[in-house]
Amino acid sequence: MRAFVNVRGTAAPIPLDNVNTDVIAPKELMRAVTRKGLGWGLFRPYRFAADGTPKPDFVLNRAPWNAARILAAYENFGCGSSREHAAWALADFGIQSVIAVSFAEIFANNCIKNRILPVALERDAVAQVMACAEAGLEVEVDLPSQSVRLPDGRSFGFAISERVKHRLLNGIDDIADTMAYEDDILAFEAQHLSGLPWLRGTG
């Protein structure tokens, strides 16, 4: 997994509460078994009409938000089913961070596993980010300082666990995190199996 340090760019405003994963990654994406090529389905019910033509009034179909690297929303973003395809679709579209008042826990964990930083801020702070996003201004999310910065100098701090922060800054995925304990795992296996030789077919 590539490291995440910071991202600065256009933020796409989705000024809604309770945006669920059925909208972020609709059922059409569930047939996919790869993380690549799913950006076309991101927010498909909002982005496209029934005949597949883009809806010109939806933010991700308009410049500069069609190249957004950050998403801003309100309460309970990513609620609904636990499909990891929602994080895959966001990542494939180019979204590197989502700023919201709160997140569904499983969705937030899926984002982290896919190098997308979920940032939770107070509603008033999110509203200020949203205003900048709607104006097409750049927003910066900086992980080392745990801050969201607006072009006029306003800054909002956010909380993140030290373990998650360390993993993102160093590009450590679940496998790499586990392998950091390889010596301990091998020592445990050797000790455990020494008293149970039949597990090895030798007793």
Side-chain angles (χ1 to χ4, degrees):
M1 185 171 78
R2 291 181 295 121
F4 180 105
V5 179
N6 68 356
V7 57
R8 179 179 179 181
T10 302
I14 309 289
L16 299 171
D17 295 320
N18 303 312
V19 176
N20 67 58
T21 52
D22 298 334
V23 170
I24 300 169
K27 63 182 184 300
E28 291 86 351
L29 269 66
M30 296 301 99
R31 295 189 294 269
V33 294
T34 176
R35 304 181 186 195
K36 300 297 183 182
L38 299 184
W40 65 269
L42 180 65
F43 291 109
R44 187 168 182 81
Y46 294 168
R47 287 172 62 199
F48 299 98
D51 63 359
T53 57
K55 297 180 180 179
D57 57 339
F58 185 63
V59 64
L60 294 183
N61 291 332
R62 295 184 285 134
W65 304 282
N66 57 352
R69 301 172 70 192
I70 300 167
L71 206 67
Y74 284 118
E75 302 267 2
N76 199 27
F77 189 85
C79 59
S81 68
S82 59
R83 61 188 68 175
E84 191 174 0
H85 290 69
W88 295 354
L90 285 164
D92 192 64
F93 186 85
I95 301 298
Q96 297 179 36
S97 181
V98 180
I99 301 169
V101 178
S102 61
F103 296 90
E105 184 176 358
I106 293 175
F107 171 81
N109 287 334
N110 285 338
C111 281
I112 291 165
K113 292 176 186 294
N114 288 277
R115 197 182 166 271
I116 299 170
L117 178 60
V119 173
L121 300 177
E122 295 293 328
R123 192 173 184 95
D124 177 68
V126 174
Q128 294 180 60
V129 173
M130 193 76 69
C132 283
E134 289 171 343
L137 301 176
E138 289 191 340
V139 174
E140 182 176 9
V141 178
D142 185 74
L143 181 54
S145 65
Q146 295 179 215
S147 62
V148 175
R149 301 170 187 152
L150 304 185
D152 61 4
R154 282 174 290 169
S155 179
F156 309 102
F158 62 87
I160 188 170
S161 76
E162 285 301 319
R163 181 171 178 270
V164 170
K165 181 177 181 178
H166 173 75
R167 290 182 62 173
L168 286 170
L169 286 173
N170 292 280
I172 299 171
D173 61 14
D174 286 343
I175 294 173
D177 195 28
T178 301
M179 294 309 296
Y181 301 94
E182 182 178 13
D183 291 344
D184 293 334
I185 293 168
L186 293 175
F188 170 81
E189 287 182 342
Q191 186 275 331
H192 181 65
L193 292 173
S194 66
L196 302 168
W198 53 270
L199 286 176
R200 293 180 172 174
T202 59

